């Protein structure tokens, strides 16, 4: 599902205009993004948790050339599904 399809689904399911649904979706995404940039953990009970985790620097092996490559440390966003979401999908 693309962002446009998601906005359309929100508009249909919530009886909103497409413009209002797009504004709501953008606001939610922007708020989540801003919180993650600040290093905050976002927990949506029944849905899941978004969190930024630090990945350590490491060495890896290029499978084509067998060359050793240094992979720098970086931050990565993780999502852990909540019990409600897991139960709904299962």
């Amino acid at each position: 599902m693309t962002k446009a399809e998601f906005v359309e689904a929100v508009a249909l399911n919530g009886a909103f205009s497409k413009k209002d649904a797009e504004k709501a979706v953008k606001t939610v995404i922007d708020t989540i993004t801003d919180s993650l940039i600040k290093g905050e953990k976002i927990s949506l009970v029944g849905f899941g948790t978004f969190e930024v985790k630090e990945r350590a620097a490491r060495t890896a092996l290029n499978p084509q050339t067998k060359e050793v490559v240094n992979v720098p440390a970086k931050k990565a966003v993780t999502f852990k599904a909540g019990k409600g979401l897991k139960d709904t999908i299962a």
Side-chain angles (χ1 to χ4, degrees):
M1 178 180 279
T2 65
K3 184 177 176 183
E5 293 169 339
F6 183 71
V7 167
E8 192 168 323
V10 169
L12 290 174
N13 291 332
F16 301 117
S17 70
K18 193 170 179 182
K19 191 171 190 171
D20 287 343
E22 185 172 3
K23 189 183 292 185
V25 169
K26 182 179 179 348
T27 301
V28 169
I29 291 171
D30 289 346
T31 303
I32 290 172
T33 302
D34 291 343
S35 295
L36 291 173
I37 288 171
K38 293 175 188 173
E40 297 173 354
K41 181 177 177 180
I42 301 153
S43 182
L44 305 172
V45 177
F47 183 70
T49 303
F50 295 92
E51 187 175 12
V52 176
K53 292 194 177 182
E54 189 75 31
R55 294 209 177 151
R58 62 187 174 87
T59 57
L61 188 66
N62 182 331
Q64 291 181 340
T65 64
K66 307 297 184 208
E67 178 185 355
V68 175
V69 179
N70 290 323
V71 180
K74 67 177 182 177
K75 293 181 180 181
V77 176
T78 61
F79 175 76
K80 182 177 179 185
K83 184 177 181 341
L85 181 60
K86 288 178 184 177
D87 291 346
T88 302
I89 292 175

